[in-house]
Amino acid sequence: IADETAMAGAEPGEPSPEEFVYGEEDFVLQAAGWGDPDSAPSRFDRALLAGWSDRMERGLFRYRLGPLPTRVLPGAVRLVAQLNEQRSAERRPPQPVRSLRDPFDPGAFNFTRLRPAELLFRLRRAGGPGPPPEPLLVAINASPLERGHVLLLPEPELRLPQLLAAPALRGALEAALLSAHPGFRVGFNGLGGGASVNHLHLHGLYLDRPLPLEEAPAEPLGPRLGLIRAGPAPAFLFFAPGPAELEPVSRAVCRAAEHLGAAGLACNVLATRGEPPAGPGGGRGLRVLLWARRPLFGPKAGEPFAVALCELAGLLPLPNEPLYRDITEAQALSAIRQHLLPEPELRLLGGELARLLGD
């Protein structure tokens, strides 16, 4: 309760967040390569990282984040393990979730309780292509995984539960194209899929390593859907070659996520710069990955780590040094894959989604 109180309420004299107004000319169609990921940050990168660093200096995070020990686990999947003891010890305990359709609970912690100083800016697009998405508030994640880890929030006063919505997803995908860094990714954890707050939000974060799922070819399931098996968990793949395709991709991903929920399945989503579904050679765009999984409500006894979008993508934030030092690829894959669907069920679901999205 003390943690929640510390986050709640407005501070006298705090201004409302500035607007970050962007247009089509601000989209970075070709981000920097991994050989020089820090070259020429965009206007969005500069605003986000400057605001984030300012809030770190002002002590608005739960802990001070320095360089994190990182290693690639030996093995074919090349999982990236990262030691982040403070996040494990000091983050707010996840809210209890009982079902995939839990309503918003105004009595629990939610993002209307953020202090104004935790808000960096409001993202708003002016001009084309197409009608602009709803504005998104960009706020610090007070228990960060990485430098620049933020929350992307549709208007918090709407008090929407943590169910993926196309307007919010499209705004987040546009944010991904505003960054010139190859590792700025956006993602979503659904209820039963690692979401810790039942109030609609997405994550944005800079992950300073390439992931196999950026380039691996996908098995085609339909005209707008593929299945990618790179990384620790198979994912359904959607692809937007440029800004004009973000709106139909957002709608398709959300139709698929809604279908999963109706089937009693949880979901996670990650958007990353990457190659077309067929693999390298066709011009990079935005890959959007959707994972279907068995829902989990509450911690699972004996789990070495919780499984949410980062773990499914191949990044393992680990809570203690012995686990970080000793974990093997086989152990990590076993922990992740116990949440996944058996192959026949995954195949059946892929066919259902292909038919749904082909309508």
Side-chain angles (χ1 to χ4, degrees):
I1 293 175
D3 285 344
E4 293 184 354
T5 304
M7 299 284 286
E11 295 179 356
E14 283 285 356
S16 59
E18 293 183 8
E19 285 206 329
F20 184 99
V21 180
Y22 64 95
E24 191 169 7
E25 69 279 3
D26 290 297
F27 291 133
V28 181
L29 302 184
Q30 292 297 324
W34 281 108
D36 192 12
D38 295 319
S39 65
S42 69
R43 184 168 71 96
F44 171 82
D45 294 319
R46 293 193 300 270
L48 190 157
L49 292 170
W52 194 93
S53 298
D54 169 73
R55 279 25 172 221
M56 181 64 73
E57 290 302 315
R58 291 162 62 182
L60 293 172
F61 291 81
R62 291 176 177 270
Y63 48 86
R64 192 166 187 85
L65 187 73
L68 297 171
T70 303
R71 73 184 186 97
V72 177
L73 302 189
V77 182
R78 298 192 58 75
L79 297 170
V80 178
Q82 201 166 58
L83 178 61
N84 193 336
E85 294 175 291
Q86 290 172 295
R87 177 176 167 84
S88 173
E90 305 197 26
R91 68 181 297 207
R92 180 186 301 104
Q95 288 177 12
V97 174
R98 295 167 296 280
S99 80
L100 296 172
R101 296 287 177 180
D102 267 13
F104 175 87
D105 178 1
F109 172 77
N110 62 77
F111 299 120
T112 66
R113 302 186 183 187
L114 293 178
R115 293 173 291 185
E118 294 177 86
L119 306 178
L120 301 183
F121 48 81
R122 176 180 278 103
L123 272 178
R124 181 172 68 81
R125 173 156 67 78
E134 293 177 8
L136 291 178
L137 281 172
V138 180
I140 62 170
N141 187 319
S143 302
L145 282 163
E146 280 278 11
R147 176 173 171 259
H149 186 180
V150 294
L151 301 171
L152 305 173
L153 308 172
E155 178 50 59
E157 293 298 337
L158 295 176
R159 300 174 181 239
L160 299 171
Q162 184 68 351
L163 296 173
L164 195 59
L169 178 59
R170 183 158 66 98
L173 298 185
E174 291 196 357
L177 289 189
L178 290 173
S179 174
H181 193 288
F184 183 74
R185 281 105 179 197
V186 300
F188 172 85
N189 293 318
L191 297 178
S196 59
V197 177
N198 185 13
H199 192 183
L200 183 55
H201 66 287
L202 295 96
H203 294 266
L205 66 166
Y206 294 83
L207 301 179
D208 284 330
R209 288 175 179 262
L211 298 170
L213 48 76
E214 293 172 31
E215 296 190 344
E219 171 192 337
L221 299 179
R224 287 180 277 177
L225 183 70
L227 180 65
I228 186 170
R229 294 188 178 276
F236 296 108
L237 175 65
F238 303 77
F239 184 70
E245 290 77 25
L246 296 183
E247 197 271 337
V249 163
S250 299
R251 282 191 287 106
V253 172
C254 288
R255 283 189 77 190
E258 187 176 358
H259 183 83
L260 298 189
L265 299 172
C267 74
N268 302 84
V269 175
L270 177 76
T272 182
R273 302 274 186 167
E275 302 292 343
R284 288 171 72 85
L286 206 59
R287 284 186 163 203
V288 185
L289 294 103
L290 171 70
W291 286 278
R293 57 184 289 175
R294 302 271 184 231
L296 177 65
F297 304 115
K300 188 168 184 177
E303 271 199 323
F305 50 81
V307 175
L309 72 91
C310 284
E311 292 78 8
L312 293 167
L315 176 76
L316 312 179
L318 297 176
N320 60 68
E321 201 279 332
L323 181 63
Y324 169 77
R325 182 188 64 230
D326 298 334
I327 193 167
T328 65
E329 180 181 90
Q331 290 167 334
L333 291 178
S334 174
I336 292 168
R337 290 175 175 169
Q338 65 180 315
H339 297 278
L340 306 181
L341 306 182
E343 180 68 20
E345 201 171 327
L346 181 70
R347 287 271 165 205
L348 185 63
L349 179 61
E352 293 172 359
L353 293 180
R355 288 189 293 276
L356 175 74
L357 300 175
D359 292 345

